[in-house]
Amino acid sequence: MIVAKNNQGDFDSVQAAIDSIPSSNTTWCTIYIKNGIYKEKIHITSPYIRLIGESADKTIITYDDYAYKLFPTGESYGTFNSYTMFVGTSDFHAENLCIENSSGIGDKVGQAIAAYVDGDRVCFKNCRFIGYQDTLFTGPLPPKPIVPGSFRGPRENAPLINGRQYYENCYIQGDIDFIFGSATAFFYSCTIFSNDIGKKVNGYITAPSTPEGQAYGYVFEDCKITSHCPKHTVYLGRPWRHFAKSVFINCDLGAHIIPAGWHNWDKPDSEKVNFFGEYNNKGPGYTPTERVNWSHLLSDIEAKHYSRQNVLNSSDNWTPWS
Protein backbone atom coordinates (compact mmCIF):
# COMPACT_ATOMS: atom_id res chain seq x y z
CA MET A 1 0.00 0.00 0.00
CA ILE A 2 1.13 3.53 -0.74
CA VAL A 3 0.14 6.64 1.20
CA ALA A 4 0.60 9.94 -0.61
CA LYS A 5 -0.95 13.37 -0.72
CA ASN A 6 -3.25 14.60 -3.49
CA ASN A 7 -4.58 11.19 -4.54
CA GLN A 8 -1.15 10.02 -5.65
CA GLY A 9 -1.33 6.74 -3.71
CA ASP A 10 -3.76 4.13 -2.47
CA PHE A 11 -4.59 6.29 0.56
CA ASP A 12 -4.31 9.99 1.38
CA SER A 13 -3.83 9.39 5.10
CA VAL A 14 -1.61 7.08 7.12
CA GLN A 15 -4.44 6.13 9.47
CA ALA A 16 -6.71 5.10 6.60
CA ALA A 17 -4.06 2.66 5.37
CA ILE A 18 -3.57 1.27 8.87
CA ASP A 19 -7.32 0.85 9.35
CA SER A 20 -7.50 -1.30 6.23
CA ILE A 21 -5.50 -4.02 8.01
CA PRO A 22 -7.63 -6.27 10.23
CA SER A 23 -6.80 -6.86 13.88
CA SER A 24 -6.58 -10.58 13.11
CA ASN A 25 -3.69 -9.98 10.71
CA THR A 26 -1.00 -12.70 10.83
CA THR A 27 1.33 -11.75 7.96
CA TRP A 28 3.50 -8.68 7.49
CA CYS A 29 1.81 -5.81 5.64
CA THR A 30 3.94 -2.92 4.41
CA ILE A 31 2.67 0.64 4.06
CA TYR A 32 4.93 2.96 2.08
CA ILE A 33 4.51 6.63 2.92
CA LYS A 34 5.59 9.31 0.46
CA ASN A 35 7.21 12.55 1.60
CA GLY A 36 4.78 15.05 3.05
CA ILE A 37 3.41 16.43 6.29
CA TYR A 38 0.65 14.22 7.64
CA LYS A 39 -1.15 15.97 10.47
CA GLU A 40 -2.73 12.90 12.02
CA LYS A 41 -3.14 11.22 15.38
CA ILE A 42 -2.10 7.64 14.62
CA HIS A 43 -3.51 4.61 16.46
CA ILE A 44 -2.07 1.15 15.68
CA THR A 45 -3.36 -2.03 17.28
CA SER A 46 -3.08 -4.60 14.46
CA PRO A 47 0.13 -6.67 14.46
CA TYR A 48 2.61 -7.25 11.63
CA ILE A 49 2.57 -3.73 10.22
CA ARG A 50 5.56 -2.03 8.61
CA LEU A 51 5.53 1.73 8.03
CA ILE A 52 8.25 2.75 5.58
CA GLY A 53 8.67 6.44 4.91
CA GLU A 54 10.36 7.95 1.89
CA SER A 55 12.79 9.91 4.09
CA ALA A 56 13.09 10.64 7.80
CA ASP A 57 13.49 14.38 7.17
CA LYS A 58 10.50 14.81 4.87
CA THR A 59 8.01 12.09 5.80
CA ILE A 60 6.52 13.77 8.85
CA ILE A 61 3.66 12.57 11.02
CA THR A 62 2.75 15.38 13.38
CA TYR A 63 0.06 16.33 15.86
CA ASP A 64 -0.32 18.83 18.69
CA ASP A 65 -2.23 17.27 21.58
CA TYR A 66 -0.87 17.90 25.07
CA ALA A 67 -1.53 17.12 28.72
CA TYR A 68 -3.18 20.45 29.61
CA LYS A 69 -5.57 20.33 26.65
CA LEU A 70 -9.22 19.81 27.60
CA PHE A 71 -11.75 17.36 26.25
CA PRO A 72 -15.25 18.76 25.60
CA THR A 73 -16.16 17.39 29.04
CA GLY A 74 -13.65 19.75 30.63
CA GLU A 75 -11.34 16.91 31.65
CA SER A 76 -7.69 17.33 30.73
CA TYR A 77 -6.03 15.00 28.24
CA GLY A 78 -3.25 14.05 30.64
CA THR A 79 0.08 12.64 29.57
CA PHE A 80 -1.06 9.41 27.97
CA ASN A 81 -3.74 10.83 25.69
CA SER A 82 -1.32 13.39 24.27
CA TYR A 83 0.47 11.08 21.80
CA THR A 84 0.92 11.67 18.08
CA MET A 85 1.49 7.96 17.35
CA PHE A 86 0.25 5.11 19.52
CA VAL A 87 1.63 1.61 18.89
CA GLY A 88 -0.35 -0.82 21.02
CA THR A 89 0.64 -4.11 19.43
CA SER A 90 3.54 -6.49 19.10
CA ASP A 91 5.43 -7.10 15.86
CA PHE A 92 5.62 -3.57 14.50
CA HIS A 93 8.36 -2.04 12.36
CA ALA A 94 8.94 1.55 11.17
CA GLU A 95 11.65 3.16 9.05
CA ASN A 96 12.43 6.58 7.62
CA LEU A 97 9.75 8.52 9.50
CA CYS A 98 9.59 11.67 11.59
CA ILE A 99 7.10 11.43 14.47
CA GLU A 100 6.51 14.81 16.06
CA ASN A 101 4.49 16.37 18.82
CA SER A 102 4.40 20.02 17.85
CA SER A 103 2.47 21.40 20.84
CA GLY A 104 5.51 23.04 22.43
CA ILE A 105 7.38 23.44 25.68
CA GLY A 106 6.20 21.63 28.78
CA ASP A 107 5.98 24.77 30.91
CA LYS A 108 3.10 25.89 28.71
CA VAL A 109 1.42 22.66 27.60
CA GLY A 110 2.57 19.97 30.02
CA GLN A 111 3.62 16.55 28.84
CA ALA A 112 3.27 15.92 25.11
CA ILE A 113 4.17 12.49 23.75
CA ALA A 114 5.35 12.03 20.17
CA ALA A 115 5.32 8.21 20.25
CA TYR A 116 3.56 5.96 22.77
CA VAL A 117 4.97 2.48 22.16
CA ASP A 118 3.60 -0.50 24.09
CA GLY A 119 4.30 -3.87 22.53
CA ASP A 120 6.87 -6.64 22.10
CA ARG A 121 9.24 -6.95 19.14
CA VAL A 122 8.84 -3.32 18.12
CA CYS A 123 11.55 -1.84 15.91
CA PHE A 124 12.28 1.68 14.68
CA LYS A 125 15.14 2.36 12.26
CA ASN A 126 16.27 5.72 10.91
CA CYS A 127 13.35 7.53 12.54
CA ARG A 128 13.10 10.93 14.19
CA PHE A 129 11.14 11.57 17.39
CA ILE A 130 10.62 15.27 18.05
CA GLY A 131 9.12 16.86 21.13
CA TYR A 132 9.78 18.57 24.43
CA GLN A 133 8.60 16.95 27.67
CA ASP A 134 7.99 13.16 27.49
CA THR A 135 8.81 12.72 23.78
CA LEU A 136 9.06 8.91 23.72
CA PHE A 137 7.08 6.65 26.05
CA THR A 138 8.28 3.06 26.03
CA GLY A 139 5.37 1.25 27.65
CA PRO A 140 4.02 -0.46 29.54
CA LEU A 141 2.83 1.79 32.31
CA PRO A 142 3.95 1.12 35.88
CA PRO A 143 1.54 -1.05 37.89
CA LYS A 144 -0.33 1.92 39.37
CA PRO A 145 -0.20 5.72 39.24
CA ILE A 146 1.09 7.81 42.10
CA VAL A 147 -1.69 10.31 41.40
CA PRO A 148 -5.03 8.49 40.90
CA GLY A 149 -6.36 8.92 37.37
CA SER A 150 -3.06 10.09 35.87
CA PHE A 151 -2.75 7.01 33.62
CA ARG A 152 -5.85 7.89 31.59
CA GLY A 153 -5.27 6.82 28.02
CA PRO A 154 -5.34 3.89 25.62
CA ARG A 155 -3.61 1.38 27.94
CA GLU A 156 -4.85 2.45 31.37
CA ASN A 157 -6.27 -0.98 32.25
CA ALA A 158 -4.32 -3.17 29.83
CA PRO A 159 -2.23 -6.14 31.03
CA LEU A 160 1.40 -5.21 31.63
CA ILE A 161 3.98 -6.97 29.46
CA ASN A 162 7.77 -7.02 29.31
CA GLY A 163 7.97 -5.55 25.82
CA ARG A 164 11.23 -5.41 23.88
CA GLN A 165 11.89 -2.38 21.70
CA TYR A 166 14.79 -1.62 19.36
CA TYR A 167 15.84 1.80 18.02
CA GLU A 168 18.64 2.02 15.47
CA ASN A 169 20.10 5.15 13.87
CA CYS A 170 17.25 7.22 15.32
CA TYR A 171 17.20 10.87 16.41
CA ILE A 172 15.33 11.57 19.64
CA GLN A 173 14.83 15.14 20.83
CA GLY A 174 13.30 16.46 24.04
CA ASP A 175 14.04 17.80 27.49
CA ILE A 176 12.19 16.64 30.64
CA ASP A 177 12.20 12.83 31.05
CA PHE A 178 11.96 12.55 27.30
CA ILE A 179 12.68 8.82 27.10
CA PHE A 180 10.58 7.16 29.79
CA GLY A 181 8.73 3.96 30.63
CA SER A 182 9.01 0.32 31.61
CA ALA A 183 10.12 -1.47 28.44
CA THR A 184 13.33 -3.30 27.75
CA ALA A 185 14.62 -0.90 25.08
CA PHE A 186 17.91 -0.90 23.19
CA PHE A 187 19.12 2.28 21.45
CA TYR A 188 21.90 1.60 18.97
CA SER A 189 23.83 4.29 17.10
CA CYS A 190 21.20 6.92 17.92
CA THR A 191 21.51 10.67 18.42
CA ILE A 192 19.91 11.91 21.63
CA PHE A 193 19.40 15.69 21.61
CA SER A 194 18.42 17.73 24.68
CA ASN A 195 16.51 20.98 24.18
CA ASP A 196 17.71 24.16 25.85
CA ILE A 197 14.70 25.42 27.82
CA GLY A 198 16.64 28.14 29.61
CA LYS A 199 16.83 26.55 33.05
CA LYS A 200 19.54 25.65 35.52
CA VAL A 201 18.58 22.04 34.88
CA ASN A 202 17.42 21.69 31.29
CA GLY A 203 16.22 18.15 31.67
CA TYR A 204 16.70 14.44 32.20
CA ILE A 205 17.31 12.20 29.22
CA THR A 206 15.84 9.03 30.71
CA ALA A 207 13.18 8.30 33.32
CA PRO A 208 12.85 4.50 33.41
CA SER A 209 10.22 2.65 35.42
CA THR A 210 11.76 -0.80 35.01
CA PRO A 211 9.69 -3.39 36.91
CA GLU A 212 11.28 -5.21 39.80
CA GLY A 213 12.92 -8.39 38.55
CA GLN A 214 13.13 -7.32 34.89
CA ALA A 215 16.71 -7.95 33.74
CA TYR A 216 17.11 -4.87 31.55
CA GLY A 217 15.67 -1.39 31.20
CA TYR A 218 17.34 1.08 28.80
CA VAL A 219 20.61 0.36 27.03
CA PHE A 220 22.29 2.98 24.85
CA GLU A 221 25.22 1.76 22.74
CA ASP A 222 27.39 3.82 20.37
CA CYS A 223 25.04 6.79 20.76
CA LYS A 224 25.81 10.49 20.48
CA ILE A 225 24.42 12.45 23.44
CA THR A 226 24.31 16.04 22.25
CA SER A 227 22.66 19.42 22.77
CA HIS A 228 22.85 23.18 22.42
CA CYS A 229 22.31 23.46 26.17
CA PRO A 230 24.84 25.24 28.37
CA LYS A 231 27.51 23.17 30.05
CA HIS A 232 26.42 20.93 32.95
CA THR A 233 22.65 21.40 32.70
CA VAL A 234 21.27 17.94 31.76
CA TYR A 235 21.18 14.68 33.71
CA LEU A 236 21.52 11.28 32.05
CA GLY A 237 18.48 10.12 33.95
CA ARG A 238 16.40 9.71 37.07
CA PRO A 239 14.10 6.94 38.35
CA TRP A 240 10.41 7.33 37.56
CA ARG A 241 9.93 4.28 39.76
CA HIS A 242 12.14 2.17 42.00
CA PHE A 243 14.24 -0.52 40.27
CA ALA A 244 14.85 1.79 37.29
CA LYS A 245 17.64 0.70 34.94
CA SER A 246 19.54 2.74 32.37
CA VAL A 247 23.01 2.06 30.96
CA PHE A 248 25.17 4.00 28.48
CA ILE A 249 27.91 2.04 26.66
CA ASN A 250 30.51 3.42 24.23
CA CYS A 251 28.60 6.69 23.99
CA ASP A 252 29.88 10.19 23.22
CA LEU A 253 28.59 12.51 25.95
CA GLY A 254 28.43 16.25 25.33
CA ALA A 255 29.45 18.94 27.79
CA HIS A 256 25.80 19.56 28.69
CA ILE A 257 25.82 16.47 30.91
CA ILE A 258 25.97 17.28 34.62
CA PRO A 259 29.11 15.74 36.18
CA ALA A 260 27.08 13.81 38.79
CA GLY A 261 25.34 12.11 35.86
CA TRP A 262 22.24 10.88 37.65
CA HIS A 263 19.51 12.30 39.90
CA ASN A 264 17.50 10.31 42.46
CA TRP A 265 14.26 12.30 41.85
CA ASP A 266 14.22 13.03 45.58
CA LYS A 267 13.86 9.31 46.30
CA PRO A 268 17.00 8.49 48.31
CA ASP A 269 15.62 5.05 49.15
CA SER A 270 15.65 4.22 45.42
CA GLU A 271 19.44 4.51 45.24
CA LYS A 272 19.90 0.99 46.58
CA VAL A 273 17.63 -0.66 44.02
CA ASN A 274 18.15 1.38 40.84
CA PHE A 275 20.87 0.48 38.36
CA PHE A 276 22.30 3.43 36.45
CA GLY A 277 25.57 2.56 34.75
CA GLU A 278 28.18 3.42 32.14
CA TYR A 279 30.97 1.71 30.26
CA ASN A 280 33.74 3.09 28.06
CA ASN A 281 32.01 6.38 27.31
CA LYS A 282 33.89 9.41 26.03
CA GLY A 283 33.48 13.14 25.48
CA PRO A 284 33.42 16.14 27.81
CA GLY A 285 30.30 14.86 29.55
CA TYR A 286 31.98 11.67 30.68
CA THR A 287 33.29 12.44 34.17
CA PRO A 288 33.37 9.05 35.92
CA THR A 289 35.16 10.26 39.04
CA GLU A 290 32.41 12.83 39.66
CA ARG A 291 29.38 10.55 39.22
CA VAL A 292 27.04 9.95 42.15
CA ASN A 293 28.36 7.15 44.34
CA TRP A 294 25.30 4.97 43.77
CA SER A 295 25.82 4.71 40.02
CA HIS A 296 27.92 1.99 38.41
CA LEU A 297 30.98 1.89 36.19
CA LEU A 298 30.76 -1.47 34.46
CA SER A 299 33.67 -3.86 34.20
CA ASP A 300 34.58 -5.49 30.88
CA ILE A 301 32.77 -8.66 31.95
CA GLU A 302 29.67 -6.78 33.12
CA ALA A 303 29.49 -4.79 29.89
CA LYS A 304 29.29 -8.00 27.83
CA HIS A 305 25.93 -8.76 29.45
CA TYR A 306 24.52 -5.68 27.68
CA SER A 307 24.98 -6.80 24.09
CA ARG A 308 21.98 -6.57 21.78
CA GLN A 309 21.77 -10.33 21.72
CA ASN A 310 21.63 -10.65 25.49
CA VAL A 311 19.18 -7.81 25.97
CA LEU A 312 16.70 -8.60 23.17
CA ASN A 313 17.00 -12.20 21.92
CA SER A 314 14.97 -14.12 24.52
CA SER A 315 13.63 -17.56 23.54
CA ASP A 316 12.35 -16.37 20.14
CA ASN A 317 15.81 -15.25 18.94
CA TRP A 318 14.53 -11.80 17.93
CA THR A 319 17.32 -10.03 16.02
CA PRO A 320 15.83 -6.82 14.57
CA TRP A 321 19.25 -5.46 13.57
CA SER A 322 19.88 -8.26 11.04
Side-chain angles (χ1 to χ4, degrees):
M1 291 178 279
I2 297 175
V3 177
K5 294 291 188 179
N6 303 318
N7 297 314
Q8 297 300 306
D10 302 303
F11 298 92
D12 286 340
S13 80
V14 178
Q15 189 64 57
I18 291 166
D19 289 345
S20 73
I21 299 171
S23 60
S24 58
N25 182 47
T26 58
T27 58
W28 282 99
C29 297
T30 301
I31 299 171
Y32 295 98
I33 308 171
K34 295 290 189 180
N35 285 341
I37 297 175
Y38 300 85
K39 187 171 184 182
E40 302 184 48
K41 191 174 180 76
I42 301 299
H43 192 91
I44 302 168
T45 55
S46 296
Y48 300 107
I49 291 178
R50 289 191 188 95
L51 298 183
I52 310 295
E54 188 172 355
S55 69
D57 291 330
K58 296 180 180 179
T59 309
I60 302 169
I61 300 172
T62 183
Y63 214 72
D64 54 3
D65 281 343
Y66 52 93
Y68 296 167
K69 186 176 179 178
L70 300 181
F71 287 107
T73 60
E75 185 178 50
S76 66
Y77 271 55
T79 301
F80 300 102
N81 282 309
S82 70
Y83 62 86
T84 294
M85 177 182 286
F86 170 71
V87 179
T89 184
S90 296
D91 299 299
F92 172 82
H93 183 101
E95 292 185 34
N96 307 331
L97 294 175
C98 176
I99 305 161
E100 175 190 51
N101 189 309
S102 63
S103 58
I105 193 168
D107 281 352
K108 295 181 178 180
V109 304
Q111 297 88 346
I113 295 174
Y116 181 145
V117 184
D118 189 6
D120 191 26
R121 296 182 301 273
V122 174
C123 175
F124 290 87
K125 292 185 177 181
N126 194 36
C127 289
R128 294 171 60 84
F129 301 85
I130 308 296
Y132 284 84
Q133 184 170 348
D134 290 9
T135 303
L136 174 61
F137 175 55
T138 66
L141 294 159
K144 61 181 180 179
I146 295 173
V147 178
S150 59
F151 284 175
R152 296 189 316 274
R155 301 292 265 190
E156 182 176 9
N157 298 308
L160 304 180
I161 66 167
N162 177 8
R164 293 163 295 165
Q165 303 178 15
Y166 180 67
Y167 300 81
E168 181 178 304
N169 194 34
C170 290
Y171 175 90
I172 306 169
Q173 178 178 330
D175 42 70
I176 306 296
D177 304 328
F178 65 100
I179 303 174
F180 72 114
S182 304
T184 295
F186 202 105
F187 300 84
Y188 179 75
S189 192
C190 293
T191 297
I192 314 298
F193 184 91
S194 293
N195 296 324
D196 182 2
I197 54 176
K199 296 186 176 183
K200 183 178 179 180
V201 175
N202 277 305
Y204 309 81
I205 293 171
T206 64
S209 53
T210 316
E212 183 178 4
Q214 185 170 297
Y216 300 101
Y218 294 151
V219 180
F220 296 81
E221 183 179 354
D222 292 343
C223 292
K224 186 173 181 62
I225 314 302
T226 187
S227 177
H228 295 323
C229 289
K231 187 177 181 180
H232 300 169
T233 60
V234 174
Y235 284 98
L236 290 171
R238 60 180 181 173
W240 185 22
R241 291 291 193 274
H242 284 29
F243 307 101
K245 295 178 179 178
S246 188
V247 174
F248 289 77
I249 295 174
N250 298 330
C251 293
D252 186 353
L253 309 183
H256 61 298
I257 299 301
I258 291 170
W262 310 93
H263 191 280
N264 67 8
W265 208 333
D266 302 323
K267 304 170 187 173
D269 55 330
S270 74
E271 296 174 5
K272 295 180 181 179
V273 295
N274 299 328
F275 193 95
F276 291 147
E278 297 174 79
Y279 175 78
N280 198 37
N281 290 330
K282 63 180 182 179
Y286 185 49
T287 53
T289 60
E290 299 181 68
R291 294 295 194 244
V292 291
N293 61 13
W294 43 271
S295 66
H296 301 266
L297 295 177
L298 304 180
S299 68
D300 293 346
I301 294 175
E302 289 172 324
K304 290 180 180 178
H305 293 293
Y306 290 89
S307 68
R308 290 181 290 185
Q309 290 86 349
N310 283 342
V311 174
L312 297 177
N313 272 186
S314 190
S315 59
D316 59 7
N317 196 34
W318 188 52
T319 54
W321 53 88
S322 59

